[in-house]
Amino acid sequence: MKELLKVLVTGGAGFIGSHVTDLLLDQGYEVIVIDNLISGKLKNLHRDVVFYQTDILSQETEQIIKKEKPDYLVHTAAQISVAKSIESPINDANINIIGTMKLLDYANKYGIKKVIFSSSCAVYGETGDINIPINHKLAPLSFYGASKLTSEMYIQLYCKFYHLPYTILRYSNVYGPRQSSQGEGGVVTIFTNCYLSQKRPIIYGDGEQTRDFIFVKDVAMANLAALQTRNSVNSRIFNIGTGDKTSINKLTESLSKHFPDKLTPQYSPALDGDIRFSCLDIEDTIKNLNWRPSWSLKQGLEETLTYYQNEMRGNKDGK
Ligand SMILES: NC(=O)c1ccc[n+]([C@@H]2O[C@H](COP(=O)([O-])OP(=O)(O)OC[C@H]3O[C@@H](n4cnc5c(N)ncnc54)[C@H](O)[C@@H]3O)[C@@H](O)[C@H]2O)c1
């Protein structure tokens, strides 16, 4: 009989965590979710999930892991805002570093087989106009980037000292259904909602800054691939992006095509600390993780748009 494997997804009511959860359930895994709903939503939760509304920093988290005995931990819960990390570095470190450490400790104590961690391209900092290879120098420009990098180091040390296998996934700018308009990659959601409510989107700077937009279902697939990799590529770090650069001007153009009123963007001065270029090199990931992105930007934007159109209709109908 096939073994039913159990996965704990922290942050499973959030944007990326809920897509990972849906995919794992679809693949026959049992999924439990821990989320304090600070930005996650109950409506994102699949009905087959076992849900605990609690903070990863709470004592209850250890009790849940002790009782549920998950086989794997997919850790997506985090303080995700760069701006908030600068306003309150201690809060960011508490959730992102201490929260991760506590989970690593429980993972080690209660026999979790592997940890999959959601990291970020923010660990690289300003890189210039290149596709950032996985071995690029690490120089975060924010406390958020620093807390992700510190967590990565703790994960590696837990592996070294306690033999806890891991996969660290450094995401580029993730977009898709269920994303809130805050956070790292919220620009697609923000602009889509602008167009849907007939407002002109605001572009900070000249719009020629580029990003590597990866669709959330591809990110969910990368988490699944990481969970299923066998020993040879266990305990490694991978870039998860598309390797394609898209300027903010180009993104606006692609989105606006879907709307009848031709709303031109407004330009505002560039934001302090905004990175000019960000694009990940994924050659090593494709070679070693048994994963490659399969959604084009066009397909991903269409799917995202349909989701927000339905949401808007639902809200209007009072659903
Ligand atoms: N969205 C992106 O473009 C992007 C890019 C790089 C990395 N990441 C990383 O991916 C992960 C998921 O991000 P997301 O975009 O889905 O954000 P999200 O805010 O939608 O999801 C985070 C989830 O974690 C929960 N959470 C936060 N703090 C918690 C705590 N202390 N205890 C329990 N639950 C808590 C939130 O309620 C939310 O449901 C994060 O680790 C983020 O840093 C995201």
Side-chain angles (χ1 to χ4, degrees):
M1 208 175 76
K2 207 180 146 206
E3 190 191 4
L4 191 60
L5 292 168
K6 198 188 264 191
V7 186
L8 166 60
V9 181
T10 67
F15 165 49
I16 296 173
S18 65
H19 285 276
V20 175
T21 298
D22 288 355
L23 179 64
L24 291 174
L25 285 166
D26 186 56
Q27 294 288 313
Y29 291 88
E30 207 179 319
V31 182
I32 55 172
V33 163
I34 290 181
D35 197 303
N36 65 0
L37 299 184
I38 194 145
S39 57
K41 297 190 183 85
L42 279 177
K43 69 172 184 181
N44 290 344
L45 284 170
H46 194 289
R47 63 177 183 280
D48 294 337
V49 95
V50 176
F51 176 54
Y52 294 94
Q53 184 177 346
T54 191
D55 198 293
I56 52 167
L57 291 165
S58 75
Q59 286 179 351
E60 200 192 343
T61 294
E62 178 169 7
Q63 296 316 312
I64 295 165
I65 295 176
K66 190 175 173 186
K67 182 179 112 191
E68 292 282 357
K69 295 186 185 55
D71 297 284
Y72 297 99
L73 166 65
V74 175
H75 179 31
T76 78
Q79 188 303 106
I80 63 159
S81 157
V82 169
K84 281 189 189 154
S85 82
I86 294 164
E87 271 163 38
S88 179
I90 294 183
N91 182 54
D92 177 81
N94 259 333
I95 301 167
N96 290 2
I97 303 174
I98 305 295
T100 302
M101 282 179 71
K102 284 189 173 217
L103 289 165
L104 291 170
D105 228 55
Y106 308 147
N108 183 40
K109 201 161 160 188
Y110 300 109
I112 286 180
K113 295 187 182 87
K114 186 171 186 180
V115 175
I116 321 293
F117 179 64
S118 290
S119 188
S120 165
C121 59
V123 298
Y124 296 115
E126 185 69 76
T127 58
D129 192 7
I130 57 162
N131 281 18
I132 312 165
I134 195 70
N135 57 0
H136 190 276
K137 157 172 95 71
L138 304 167
L141 295 174
S142 66
F143 295 108
Y144 169 76
S147 68
K148 285 288 174 188
L149 180 55
T150 309
S151 298
E152 288 191 2
M153 288 169 159
Y154 273 95
I155 291 169
Q156 288 168 299
L157 290 169
Y158 265 83
C159 179
K160 178 178 165 190
F161 291 114
Y162 302 118
H163 312 290
L164 179 63
Y166 67 85
T167 304
I168 292 168
L169 303 173
R170 290 180 183 153
Y171 309 147
S172 60
N173 284 65
V174 191
Y175 72 97
R178 302 182 194 152
Q179 185 167 33
S180 84
S181 33
Q182 266 96 57
E184 284 187 80
V187 61
V188 171
T189 302
I190 297 169
F191 284 8
T192 306
N193 284 321
C194 279
Y195 284 121
L196 282 171
S197 44
Q198 273 123 30
K199 289 190 193 127
R200 293 171 68 196
I202 300 172
I203 293 180
Y204 295 98
D206 63 4
E208 286 307 300
Q209 62 272 44
T210 56
R211 295 292 180 267
D212 177 352
F213 291 103
I214 176 96
F215 190 53
V216 67
K217 289 189 181 175
D218 276 329
V219 171
M221 287 297 288
N223 276 270
L224 178 69
L227 201 143
Q228 293 178 337
T229 50
R230 295 290 162 250
N231 289 341
S232 61
V233 288
N234 257 346
S235 302
R236 287 193 51 174
I237 307 180
F238 294 107
N239 277 339
I240 301 299
T242 64
D244 293 327
K245 300 171 187 137
T246 305
S247 73
I248 301 300
N249 285 331
K250 186 88 196 132
L251 175 78
T252 323
E253 202 187 300
S254 309
L255 273 171
S256 69
K257 278 186 197 144
H258 296 274
F259 296 90
D261 349 73
K262 292 286 163 241
L263 293 166
T264 52
Q266 303 177 62
Y267 288 86
S268 262
L271 296 175
D272 267 354
D274 202 14
I275 290 176
R276 182 89 179 143
F277 306 108
S278 179
C279 186
L280 295 177
D281 181 324
I282 56 167
E283 258 181 49
D284 176 70
T285 317
I286 291 172
K287 213 157 94 196
N288 292 303
L289 186 66
N290 189 26
W291 171 91
R292 63 168 67 235
S294 63
W295 287 75
S296 68
L297 184 64
K298 185 171 178 289
Q299 291 168 321
L301 288 180
E302 278 169 11
E303 176 111 348
T304 309
L305 206 62
T306 307
Y307 170 83
Y308 286 110
Q309 276 164 337
N310 290 338
E311 277 257 293
M312 201 167 238
R313 252 176 244 133
N315 288 341
K316 276 194 190 137
D317 297 348
K319 277 181 203 158

